[in-house]
C-alpha cells in the first residue's frame, strides 16, 4: 500500500491541504498536485537548479525534498514572484530587458535563487552573482544576460536607479 | 512604410509568460484520463535478447499494460525509417522502436510500461526480466575497422557505415610545389544535447475525430509527422504534431525518436492519452549526441604562410544507428576551407558504427569540427613558421572582392559551395581591436614575471546558414484588426515570435502586440522544415516580409477604392489606413478584413479574393554565409593544469540583424557552448560500452562561475541571397570557440612547446603535457 | 527518476529516531537530503523506511564549552557559515564551505549528513580530520564517542551501526592567532574536489610550533599528512619549509578512477598543500 500523508503547506501565500504519497518530491507535488507547473524539473538530482523554490525564505532544490517535508512550511514558486496586480518583480523586469532568458526552462530556478540571493546580498559584484548562480545551469544564454539583469535589478531594488 | 522595429532591440514577446511560470512545456500538459509511460532500456552495450518476461511487471497494482515490440501489432514489427536517405550510406541501420532481438547500445528501448503514474511505471521496470546474451561491443572508433574487431551489429560484415570525401583543386601539385608540409592529428569530442528541458511526448488518439495528436519537445514537428505517417502507413492529415514551448533543442531534438512511434501507438491501443517525459538519466543514454572525430591532416604552405593545400582523413564515430542520415559527417567537410582561399583540398571521412548512443548534430553539427580542423592547421603553420597567427590569416583570407566566392567544395546535392558576402579581414581587425591584441604581449610578460601563464588565441570561421528550401508564413488580418501570423518554424528559445512579429509589424503598419503568433503546430500551417542549422531567420524573415507585403498591398488597394483615393496617397499606421495629409479619412485593417469576409447574401468586393490574407514561401536563394573572428585570452595554472578563460572577444557578421539583442544572446550562448566543448563536456564510455558520465556532477556543463564576460561587436554585410539581407546567427558563437581557446592555451605554454591533440582539454592532460616537457628538457640537459 | 516506495517516519527526539532505526530493517536516515535524495531519485538506494531527522529537536546548533566547539549533527552548512562562534574560533570552516555545492544545497546540507555520507572528497570530513574531531553517536544502549581517525571504516562507510545515529561533533579549536588555509581543486565551482587540503598552523617567533594538514579526495577517506606535520615543527614558516611538506604530499597514497589517475591526485596534493600552507602562514597572527 502506498504510504500517504496529509500535509498543510502554504504556497505563494495560499494555504493548501493535500494528501500526498511520501515518496513524492516537493517539485512533483507543486507541479502535479497543485498544478503550479512554473517550477521545472531539469535533472532531479540537484545539480541543474531549475526546480529551485523558496522554502521559509531560503532557496532550496524542490527535487531534493519530499513534499511531506514541506508540511507546515511556506513555499514561494516563480508564480508567486510578481505582484498582486501582475506587475513583474524587478528581477523579472530586468531579465526581460537584458535578454536573461531564451528557452525559459531554467528561468524559474534562476529567479527564485536570485530573489533569495539578492535579499542577503543586496550589492553583489559580477563575481558574486556568477558564483551564486553556479548551481543553476543555463544551456542557452551563456549567463551574461542573467548576470547583467541581476546587476541592474540589485540597483533598482536598492532604489539606486 | 516606416521601419520602426527591424534592427531595434525589441524586448521579446515570449518573455512575460516564461518569466512568470506560465510557459507551456510538454510536461505541463495534463489531459483527462492520461496514463504515464516509462521505458525499459538496454543495460548492455551489445547483446542478443533471449527473452523478456513482463509477467510480474504487468501484475503490479497501478500498471495498465506492458508492451514489447511484439505487443505493438503485426504491422509494426519493423525498424524505423531513414529520415535522410543518401547514396553514401552503405549500411542503413535504424533501430526498432522497441528492440526485436538485439540491442546495440546502452539505453536502447526494449519495453514500455503504461501505468497510473510515472513512479509506478518505474516500479514496474524493476520487475521486467530480460535474459541477455552479451556480445562483444565496439567502442573505440580507431580500432573498429581492424581485422577481428567486434561488430556493432551482429548481422554485418564491417563497422563501416559509409565513406565521404571532399576533393577539389590539384592536390598533388599543391603538395609538390609547397615550401613546407606540416601535419597534425587530433581528436575532437563534442558532447550531448543537454537542453535543460529533456525530451517528452504526449499522444492522444481520437479515431472518430481528430486522429492522432502528438505533443513533443521537438525542433521539427513536420518531420515527425511525415516520418510517423510513413512508418504507420497513414495519411499525414490525420496526424497532428505540436511542439509547444520547447526548453532548448541544439540539434538532438530535430530528429525522430523511437518514443515518437511507441507513445502514439500505445495511446491508440490503450484508448487513453499517454505521457512520457524523458528523465535526465535517460537523456544521457537515449538522446543523440555528437561524440568523437579523429582527424589526421597535412597542410602544404609556402614560407610566407600562404596555404596551398590541405589533405587528410577523418574517422567519424556514428554510434549504433543512423537516426539523421549523414548530416553530421557531411557538415564536418563542407566548411573546409573555412574563411580562407585554399586552392586544393582532399579530405575523406570514414563513418563508423560503434555500440554507443546514435549520433546527431549538436549546435553547429560538424561545422565546429571542420572549422577547428582548418584553424588548427593555420595555427600549426603559424607556429612552425614563427609568423603571427593574425598575419597568417591575413595572407589566406578570402577577400571581399572575390565574393561571391566558390570554394571548390560541393554541397550534398552537387551544387557548388559559394560564399555570398563578407569581409573576413575586416572582422579580424575588429576583434583584434576589441581584444586589445596588440598590447597582449605586455600583459603576458607582466604576468609571467608573477609566475602566471597567459595566452591568446585567434579563430576565424564561416558558417553556412539558412539552408532551404523554405519556411513559410501566413499573415491574415481578422475582423478585430488583430494580425494572425502562422509559420511552420518551431522555436526552442530563439525568439521567433518576436523576430517575425517585428518584420510583420513594420511591413503592415501594426504594433507587435497586435500580432497573434502561432507556430510549430502542423494543424495551423500546412508545412514547415524546422529549426536546424541556423536556418530560420534567412528563411522565415523573407517569407514573413513577403506575406506581410502582400497583405499590405491588398489592404491599400481595397482602401483606395473605399476611400476613393490613390493607393500612393495611403499609408498604414497602428492598423489604420489613412490618407496622407487628411488623417481623418481612414479605414481600419479590421474593417477591411470584414469587407473581405462578408456575411451571407453579400458580395466580396469585385476584383478581390476573400480574406485579408497572404502566404509566402519566399526564402534565400542559397545559403547565406555568416562569418566571425574570435579571440580568447586564457590563464593556465601550472600547478593544477586548470585553464581559465579570462576574456573572450567576438566580431561577428550575420548580415542585417533583425533584433541585435537576440543575435547577441545567440552569440554569447553559442560561445559558452563552444568553451564547454573545448574545456569541459565529455561523455565517457568504458571499454564495455557502459556510459560513465551519467549525471551533472560527472558530465560537466559550463557554469556561470567559469565563464568569462564575452564582448561582441558586429559587422552587417548584407546577404544578396534574400530580401532582407539576413544570415543565420544560431551557431556562429559555437563554431570557432574551441579553436580560439586551444590556440590560447598553447600560446600560454609556449615555453613548454605544448601541442594539444584533443579536446576537451582537461587539466590532468594539460599538466601531463607540461610535466613531460619539463622532464624531457631536464633529461636532455643531463644527456 | 522517482524514488521507489518507502515508509516515511518523522521522529521528534533522537531517542525516537534511534528506536525507529532499531526496529526497522533497511532504513535510511534523511538529514539534509542533498546526497540521499538524488540516490533515492535514481533508485541507487531503495530503502524500506526513511527516517527524517528534520523535526528532531536538540541535535543542531553550535556551542562553545571549555575550548571545545560542539556542533549538532543536524546543523546546516549555511548556519555553520553564518555562525559567529564558528567564524571566530574555526574560520577555516566557513572558508571551506564556500566550496561545498551551492548556496541552495547548503541551505539544506547538514554537517552530520556529510560526515555519514563520507564522500572521500567532501570538505567537512577533511576539516574534521584536521581538527581530530570527536563524533558522538547514539544507539539503543546509549552514547559512544569516536575519534575521527576511527570514523571511516572503508570507502564511504562510517563507523556507525545500523541502529546508531550521529548526534554531535566536537573538537578543540586552535589558538586565536592560528593560521589557516583551505585549498581545493575542482573542475567547476561547487563540484566535488578532486583533491582538497586543509592546513592549520601555529607559529611562535617565526617557527612552526603546531601543524595539521588534512587531505581529502586523494584516497578513499581524508588522511592527515602526519609525516609532513612532524617535519614542519620547529622550522621557519616560509615557502621553502612548505615545499618540504608539498614534496611529502606528492608521495601520498592515492586512488585512480575513471576521470583522473593517482599520479594526478598526488601532483595536485603537492600543489595544494603548498598553497594552503602559504595561506595559513600568511594568516598567522605574528603579533
Amino acid at each position: 500500500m502506498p504510504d500517504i500523508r496529509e500535509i498543510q503547506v502554504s504556497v505563494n501565500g495560499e494555504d493548501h491541504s493535500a494528501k500526498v504519497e511520501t515518496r513524492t518530491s516537493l517539485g512533483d507535488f507543486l507541479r502535479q498536485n497543485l498544478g503550479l507547473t512554473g517550477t521545472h524539473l531539469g535533472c532531479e538530482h540537484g545539480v541543474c537548479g531549475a526546480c529551485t523554490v523558496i522554502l521559509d525564505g531560503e532557496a532550496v532544490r524542490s527535487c531534493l525534498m519530499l513534499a511531506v517535508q514541506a508540511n507546515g512550511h511556506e513555499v514561494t514558486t516563480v508564480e508567486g514572484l510578481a505582484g498582486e496586480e501582475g506587475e513583474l518583480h524587478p528581477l523579472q523586469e530586468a531579465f526581460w530587458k537584458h535578454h536573461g532568458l531564451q528557452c525559459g526552462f531554467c528561468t524559474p530556478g534562476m529567479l527564485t535563487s536570485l530573489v533569495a540571493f539578492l535579499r542577503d546580498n543586496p550589492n553583489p559584484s559580477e563575481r558574486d552573482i556568477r558564483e551564486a548562480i553556479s548551481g543553476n545551469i543555463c544551456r542557452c544564454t551563456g549567463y551574461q544576460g542573467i548576470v547583467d539583469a541581476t546587476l541592474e535589478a540589485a540597483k533598482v531594488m536598492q532604489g539606486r536607479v | 512604410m516606416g521601419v520602426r522595429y527591424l534592427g531595434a532591440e525589441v524586448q521579446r514577446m515570449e518573455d512575460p509568460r516564461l518569466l512568470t511560470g506560465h510557459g507551456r512545456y510538454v510536461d505541463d500538459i495534463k489531459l483527462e484520463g492520461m496514463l504515464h509511460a516509462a521505458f525499459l532500456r538496454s543495460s548492455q552495450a551489445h547483446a542478443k535478447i533471449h527473452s523478456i518476461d513482463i509477467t510480474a511487471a504487468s501484475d503490479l497494482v497501478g500498471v495498465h499494460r506492458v508492451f514489447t515490440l511484439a505487443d505493438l501489432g503485426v504491422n509494426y514489427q519493423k525498424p524505423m525509417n531513414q529520415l535522410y536517405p543518401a547514396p553514401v550510406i552503405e549500411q542503413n541501420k535504424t533501430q526498432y522502436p522497441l528492440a526485436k532481438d538485439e540491442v546495440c547500445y546502452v539505453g536502447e528501448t526494449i519495453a514500455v510500461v503504461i501505468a497510473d503514474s510515472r513512479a509506478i511505471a518505474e516500479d514496474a521496470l524493476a520487475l521486467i526480466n530480460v535474459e541477455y546474451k552479451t556480445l562483444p561491443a565496439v567502442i573505440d572508433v580507431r580500432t573498429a575497422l581492424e581485422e577481428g574487431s567486434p561488430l556493432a551489429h551482429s548481422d554485418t560484415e564491417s563497422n563501416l557505415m559509409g565513406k565521404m570525401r571532399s576533393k577539389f583543386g590539384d592536390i598533388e601539385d599543391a603538395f609538390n610545389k609547397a615550401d613546407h608540409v606540416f601535419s597534425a592529428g587530433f581528436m575532437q569530442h563534442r558532447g550531448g544535447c543537454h537542453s535543460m528541458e529533456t525530451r517528452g511526448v504526449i499522444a492522444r488518439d481520437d479515431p472518430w475525430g481528430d486522429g492522432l495528436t502528438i505533443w513533443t519537445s521537438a525542433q521539427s514537428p513536420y518531420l515527425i509527422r511525415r516520418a510517423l505517417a510513413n512508418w504507420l502507413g497513414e495519411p499525414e492529415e490525420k496526424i497532428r504534431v505540436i511542439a509547444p514551448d520547447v526548453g532548448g533543442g541544439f540539434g538532438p531534438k530535430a530528429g525522430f525518436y523511437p518514443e515518437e512511434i511507441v507513445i502514439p501507438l500505445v495511446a491508440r491501443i490503450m484508448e487513453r492519452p499517454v505521457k512520457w517525459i524523458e528523465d535526465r538519466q535517460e537523456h544521457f543514454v537515449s538522446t543523440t549526441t555528437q561524440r568523437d572525430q579523429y582527424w589526421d591532416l597535412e597542410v602544404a604552405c609556402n614560407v610566407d604562410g600562404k596555404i596551398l593545400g590541405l589533405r587528410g582523413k577523418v574517422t567519424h564515430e556514428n554510434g549504433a544507428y543512423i537516426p539523421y542520415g549523414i548530416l553530421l559527417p557531411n557538415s564536418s567537410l563542407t566548411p573546409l576551407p573555412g574563411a580562407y582561399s585554399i586552392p586544393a583540398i582532399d579530405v575523406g571521412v570514414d563513418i563508423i558504427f560503434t555500440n554507443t548512443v546514435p549520433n546527431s548534430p549538436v549546435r553547429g553539427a560538424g561545422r565546429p569540427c571542420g572549422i577547428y580542423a582548418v584553424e588548427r592547421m593555420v595555427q600549426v603553420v603559424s607556429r612552425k613558421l614563427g609568423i603571427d597567427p593574425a598575419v597568417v590569416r591575413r595572407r589566406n583570407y578570402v577577400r571581399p572582392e572575390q565574393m561571391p566566392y566558390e570554394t571548390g567544395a560541393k554541397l550534398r546535392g552537387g551544387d557548388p559551395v559559394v560564399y555570398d558576402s563578407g569581409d573576413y579581414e575586416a572582422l579580424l581587425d575588429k576583434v583584434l581591436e576589441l581584444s586589445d591584441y596588440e598590447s597582449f604581449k605586455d600583459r603576458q610578460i607582466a604576468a609571467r614575471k608573477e609566475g602566471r601563464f597567459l595566452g591568446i588565441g585567434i579563430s576565424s570561421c564561416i558558417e553556412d546558414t539558412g539552408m532551404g528550401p523554405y519556411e513559410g508564413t501566413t499573415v491574415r488580418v481578422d475582423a478585430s484588426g488583430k494580425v494572425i501570423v502562422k509559420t511552420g518554424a518551431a522555436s526552442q528559445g530563439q525568439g521567433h515570435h518576436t523576430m517575425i512579429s517585428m518584420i510583420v509589424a513594420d511591413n503592415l503598419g501594426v504594433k507587435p502586440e497586435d500580432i497573434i503568433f502561432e507556430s510549430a503546430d502542423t494543424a495551423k500551417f500546412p508545412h514547415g522544415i524546422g529549426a536546424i542549422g541556423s536556418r530560420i531567420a534567412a528563411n522565415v524573415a523573407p517569407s514573413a516580409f513577403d506575406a506581410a507585403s502582400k497583405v499590405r498591398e491588398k489592404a491599400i488597394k481595397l482602401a483606395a477604392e473605399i476611400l476613393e483615393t490613390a493607393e500612393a496617397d495611403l499609408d498604414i499606421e497602428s492598423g489604420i489606413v489613412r490618407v496622407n495629409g487628411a488623417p481623418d479619412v481612414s479605414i481600419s485593417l479590421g474593417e477591411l478584413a470584414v469587407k473581405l469576409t462578408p456575411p451571407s447574401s453579400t458580395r466580396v468586393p469585385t476584383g478581390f479574393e476573400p480574406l485579408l490574407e497572404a502566404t509566402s514561401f519566399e526564402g534565400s536563394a542559397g545559403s547565406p554565409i555568416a562569418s566571425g573572428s574570435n579571440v580568447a585570452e586564457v590563464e593556465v595554472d601550472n600547478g593544477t593544469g586548470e585553464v581559465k578563460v579570462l576574456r573572450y572577444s567576438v566580431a561577428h557578421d550575420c548580415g542585417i540583424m533583425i533584433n541585435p539583442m537576440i543575435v547577441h544572446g545567440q552569440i554569447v550562448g553559442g560561445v559558452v557552448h563552444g568553451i564547454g566543448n573545448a574545456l569541459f563536456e565529455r561523455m565517457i564510455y568504458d571499454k564495455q560500452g557502459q556510459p560513465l558520465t551519467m549525471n551533472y556532477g560527472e558530465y560537466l556543463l559550463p557554469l556561470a562561475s567559469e565563464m568569462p564576460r564575452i564582448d561582441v561587436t558586429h559587422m552587417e554585410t548584407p546577404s544578396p541571397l534574400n530580401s532582407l539581407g539576413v544570415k543565420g546567427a544560431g551557431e556562429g558563437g559555437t563554431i570557432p570557440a574551441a579553436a580560439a581557446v586551444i590556440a590560447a592555451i598553447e600560446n600560454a605554454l609556449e615555453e613548454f612547446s605544448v601541442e594539444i591533440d584533443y579536446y576537451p582539454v582537461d587539466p590532468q592532460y594539460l599538466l601531463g603535457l607540461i610535466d613531460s616537457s619539463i622532464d624531457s628538457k631536464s633529461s636532455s640537459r643531463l644527456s | 527518476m522517482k524514488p521507489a516506495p518507502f515508509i516515511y517516519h518523522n521522529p521528534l527526539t533522537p531517542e525516537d529516531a534511534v528506536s525507529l532505526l532499531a526496529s526497522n530493517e533497511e532504513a535510511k536516515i534523511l538529514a539534509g537530503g542533498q546526497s540521499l535524495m538524488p540516490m533515492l531519485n535514481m533508485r541507487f538506494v531503495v530503502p524500506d523506511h526513511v527516517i527524517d531527522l528534520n523535526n528532531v529537536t536538540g541535535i543542531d546548533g553550535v556551542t562553545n564549552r571549555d575550548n571545545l566547539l560542539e556542533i549538532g549533527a543536524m546543523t546546516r552548512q549555511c548556519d555553520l557559515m553564518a555562525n559567529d562562534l564558528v567564524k571566530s574560533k574555526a574560520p577555516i570552516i566557513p572558508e571551506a564551505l564556500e566550496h561545498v555545492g551551492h548556496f541552495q544545497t547548503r541551505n539544506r546540507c547538514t554537517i552530520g549528513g556529510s560526515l555519514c555520507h563520507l564522500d572521500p572528497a567532501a570538505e567537512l570530513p577533511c576539516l574534521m580530520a584536521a581538527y581530530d574531531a570527536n563524533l558522538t553517536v547514539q544507539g539503543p544502549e546509549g552514547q559512544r564517542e569516536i575519534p575521527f581517525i576511527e570514523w571511516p571504516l572503508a570507502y564511504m562507510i562510517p563507523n556507525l551501526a545500523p541502529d546508531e545515529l550521529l548526534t554531535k561533533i566536537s573538537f578543540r579549536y586552535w589558538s586565536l592567532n592560528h593560521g589557516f588555509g583551505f585549498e581545493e581543486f575542482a573542475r567547476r565551482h561547487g563540484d566535488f574536489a578532486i583533491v582538497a587540503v586543509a592546513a592549520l598552523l601555529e607559529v611562535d617567533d617565526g617557527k612552526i610550533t603546531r601543524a595539521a594538514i588534512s587531505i581529502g579526495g586523494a584516497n578513499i577517506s581524508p588522511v592527515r599528512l602526519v609525516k609532513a606535520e612532524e617535519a614542519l615543527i620547529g622550522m621557519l614558516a616560509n615557502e621553502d619549509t612548505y615545499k618540504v611538506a608539498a614534496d611529502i604530499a606528492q608521495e601520498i597514497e592515492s586512488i585512480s578512477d575513471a576521470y583522473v589517475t593517482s599520479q594526478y591526485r598526488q601532483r595536485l596534493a603537492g600543489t595544494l598543500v603548498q598553497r594552503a600552507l602559504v595561506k595559513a602562514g600568511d594568516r598567522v597572527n605574528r603579533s
Side-chain angles (χ1 to χ4, degrees), chain B residues 51-81:
Chain B
S51 64
I52 309 169
D53 183 356
I54 58 170
T55 321
S58 307
D59 290 347
L60 188 72
V61 175
V63 170
H64 289 252
R65 203 172 154 184
V66 181
F67 292 84
T68 63
L69 180 69
D71 304 307
L72 293 180
V74 287
N75 294 331
Y76 306 123
Q77 307 298 305
K78 57 181 182 179
M80 293 171 66
N81 26 351

Side-chain angles (χ1 to χ4, degrees), chain B residues 119 122-123 279 637-640 642 679-680 692-693 696 698 700-701 705-706 763-764 767 771, chain C residues 1-5 42-44 185-189 191 258-261 264 267-268 271 275:
Chain B
E122 288 185 26
D123 296 343
D279 69 30
D637 181 337
N638 70 329
T640 62
E642 183 181 32
L679 298 177
F680 292 105
L692 299 178
T693 40
Y696 283 153
E698 292 166 344
L700 307 177
L701 288 165
S705 41
E706 281 67 42
Q764 170 176 274
L767 197 58
D771 285 353
Chain C
M1 289 176 69
K2 312 298 178 193
M42 293 177 181
R43 297 192 182 215
F44 291 164
F185 182 63
R187 293 297 311 277
R188 302 171 307 175
H189 184 76
D191 282 347
Y259 310 103
V260 297
T261 61
Y264 182 60
R267 186 76 165 75
L268 284 179
T271 297
R275 291 177 184 177

Side-chain angles (χ1 to χ4, degrees), chain B residues 301-315:
Chain B
C301 65
N302 283 340
V303 280
D304 60 356
K306 174 68 192 152
I307 296 173
L308 308 179
L310 195 60
R311 70 183 173 196
K313 190 183 157 212
V314 186
T315 306

